[in-house]
Amino acid sequence: MAKLFLSLSSVFGFLSVALGAFGAHALKQRFNDYQMGIFQTGIHYQFFHTLALVGVGALLLKWPDSLGLKYSGLAFVFGVLVFSGSLYLLAFTQIKWLGAITPIGGVSFLIGWILLGITVNKIL
């Protein structure tokens, strides 16, 4: 699972940088301030949780059987896909109900951080 999380973190990290550059250059003229703010929020949260996923992957190299670390990493992956993904879709489509999905990803991020905290306190 460490390899999966570290591999996904490289993909998520690449996409954070690529989408950030795309937003700064190509979307600047196309998006209004509201859309750009939504898009940037998705990028920021994706990047922060990419780094969290790197940390979880690194910890799993030492404690490969830790369910807490595995579930924490899965929560971060799900959070990136749902939280950031729904914000990207909302920015592009302006379909308002997509904003109702975003908190599901946010809760997943919170669960990931709680699981990481609890697990680290148990194993260290």
Side-chain angles (χ1 to χ4, degrees):
M1 189 134 286
K3 183 177 180 179
L4 173 66
F5 290 156
L6 292 170
S7 296
L8 284 174
S9 67
S10 69
V11 172
F12 288 166
F14 173 87
L15 289 173
S16 295
V17 174
L19 289 170
F22 180 67
H25 299 289
L27 298 178
K28 193 177 195 179
Q29 304 301 323
R30 183 175 174 210
F31 278 6
N32 61 37
D33 289 342
Y34 175 72
Q35 289 171 287
M36 195 54 125
I38 290 169
F39 191 77
Q40 288 176 339
T41 298
I43 291 167
H44 289 139
Y45 276 82
Q46 178 173 330
F47 190 70
F48 297 144
H49 290 89
T50 294
L51 296 176
L53 198 55
V54 169
V56 170
L59 289 169
L60 277 167
L61 291 172
K62 180 151 174 98
W63 294 283
D65 297 325
S66 171
L67 286 178
L69 290 174
K70 290 176 184 178
Y71 287 129
S72 174
L74 290 171
F76 290 143
V77 169
F78 183 78
V80 166
L81 295 174
V82 175
F83 185 90
S84 295
S86 66
L87 289 179
Y88 299 145
L89 287 172
L90 177 59
F92 276 101
T93 66
Q94 296 188 46
I95 298 172
K96 299 295 182 194
W97 66 263
L98 288 168
I101 296 171
T102 307
I104 297 167
V107 169
S108 185
F109 286 149
L110 294 171
I111 290 168
W113 286 110
I114 289 168
L115 289 171
L116 180 59
I118 291 168
T119 304
V120 165
N121 279 301
K122 285 182 179 179
I123 62 177
L124 295 181

